[in-house]
Amino acid sequence: MVAPKLSNSRSSDSPNLRSVRYIRNRKAETREAAIAAGRLCEQICGGELAKAPDESVLFAALQSCAFRAVRQARRRSPRDAMAVKWCERWKTIRDYILEQNIGLVYSMIGRFGMKEVDRDDQRSEAFYALLHAVERFNPWRGIRFSTYACSAISHSLIHLSKKAARHRDRFPVEHEEWMEQSTDLEAWLELYADRLRRALQSNEGELTDREAAVLGWRFPLEGGRSLTFAEIGDAIGLSRERARQIQEKALGKLRGVLEADAALQ
């Protein structure tokens, strides 16, 4: 199945530096990272990849290209040859990630699709959400991209369903079945949040006290400000990087619990 072409400047043939978002991390700023990103881009363009690289490799390369493009543009001009070159590499890797994750779009539409909403509208909305997710995903937080992207696509479909509902309020039609389906997505997200709270409260992931504390500070369930890794490190006497490692390990344990939860399947 061929994805619809996105009629947005961000996905046009000419790279747009305004689309490039660099999320700072020293790993992406090294010369080795730049070489790896350039090599990956060449392999993608040459069709040399036998299988898709791990998402951590792809997003590390994407961020390395973003760093080089933004830095070069700041030093000289967005039209500088090197800035354009790294922007083109960024777009090549970004588009490859999009192609590898198109299945998420159809999976979410298949699960939460609404018969009363035009299928093309659903696909367009979901593809824009996927594009936005790729450009804004933070690979350094230890969260899987599929989890982040599915959440983004879900919210876009919720927005579309509410927009369609407002339209039907103004122009009443028979849509009882559509209303029942459009609530399924919100119900699933509420269930997911509830299961996550339960997993934390009952420690189903067998988190250590330190792991539970770090997640509680980073992702406060009852609202409030999320603490930075530096603030958490100061609170428990550890480095910023060690606090981040503890978070990644704890999230890995919780992912296993939620993926095995039959109610979320």
Side-chain angles (χ1 to χ4, degrees):
M1 187 176 293
V2 179
K5 184 176 181 180
L6 300 176
S7 57
N8 186 293
S9 61
R10 292 181 298 177
S11 58
S12 62
D13 290 336
S14 15
N16 186 346
L17 188 62
R18 288 177 298 177
S19 303
V20 179
R21 180 173 183 260
Y22 172 57
I23 302 173
R24 187 173 182 180
N25 188 285
R26 291 181 180 178
K27 294 179 181 179
E29 300 175 5
T30 64
R31 182 172 179 271
E32 292 74 14
I35 293 173
R39 185 182 301 117
L40 177 61
C41 186
E42 291 175 359
Q43 291 174 333
I44 292 173
C45 292
E48 301 173 11
L49 293 173
K51 64 177 183 178
D54 185 80
E55 70 174 41
S56 62
V57 174
L58 289 170
F59 279 101
L62 187 71
Q63 288 300 313
S64 181
C65 292
F67 167 69
R68 300 278 166 171
V70 171
R71 185 182 67 167
Q72 194 68 27
R74 286 175 178 172
R75 286 181 173 179
R76 297 172 183 260
S77 161
R79 296 183 180 181
D80 177 76
M82 287 303 297
V84 171
K85 180 180 179 179
W86 281 107
C87 198
E88 289 175 342
R89 288 177 172 176
W90 174 87
K91 181 179 181 299
T92 295
I93 297 173
R94 183 205 65 178
D95 289 351
Y96 179 81
I97 296 173
L98 283 170
E99 292 173 4
Q100 295 300 311
N101 288 278
I102 283 177
L104 293 177
V105 168
Y106 293 102
S107 175
M108 297 303 287
I109 291 176
R111 174 179 277 188
F112 303 110
M114 299 157 287
K115 293 181 179 179
E116 299 301 323
V117 178
D118 184 79
R119 199 75 170 179
D120 287 339
D121 287 345
Q122 294 185 60
R123 280 197 295 266
S124 178
E125 193 78 17
F127 274 112
Y128 276 122
L130 178 62
L131 175 67
H132 188 74
V134 172
E135 293 179 351
R136 292 188 170 274
F137 178 63
N138 185 343
W140 320 118
R141 292 188 64 178
I143 300 174
R144 291 172 60 185
F145 174 69
S146 59
T147 302
Y148 180 82
C150 284
S151 177
I153 295 170
S154 298
H155 282 87
S156 74
L157 292 175
I158 289 175
H159 176 76
L160 181 64
S161 71
K162 290 181 177 179
K163 182 179 178 181
R166 288 194 295 269
H167 177 78
R168 284 173 174 78
D169 286 340
R170 294 181 61 188
F171 307 98
V173 295
E174 294 296 327
H175 61 281
E176 287 79 6
E177 181 181 355
W178 171 83
M179 286 297 290
E180 181 179 349
Q181 292 176 356
S182 66
T183 58
D184 288 346
L185 179 56
E186 294 181 80
W188 185 85
L189 291 174
E190 290 178 2
L191 177 61
Y192 187 93
D194 179 67
R195 293 287 180 167
L196 176 59
R197 284 192 292 268
R198 182 183 301 180
L200 282 172
Q201 292 169 355
S202 60
N203 198 18
E204 294 178 28
E206 298 183 354
L207 304 181
T208 65
D209 291 342
R210 179 174 288 177
E211 289 170 345
V214 169
L215 283 190
W217 282 323
R218 286 291 290 166
F219 309 106
L221 296 178
E222 302 302 328
R225 186 177 71 88
S226 172
L227 300 186
T228 65
F229 287 125
E231 290 172 329
I232 294 173
D234 290 340
I236 57 181
L238 295 174
S239 68
R240 176 183 180 277
E241 176 60 21
R242 180 56 184 150
R244 185 189 65 79
Q245 292 173 357
I246 293 173
Q247 173 189 284
E248 291 182 4
K249 185 176 181 180
L251 287 174
K253 291 181 178 180
L254 286 179
R255 276 197 298 269
V257 171
L258 295 176
E259 287 174 358
D261 193 327
L264 296 175
Q265 304 311 310

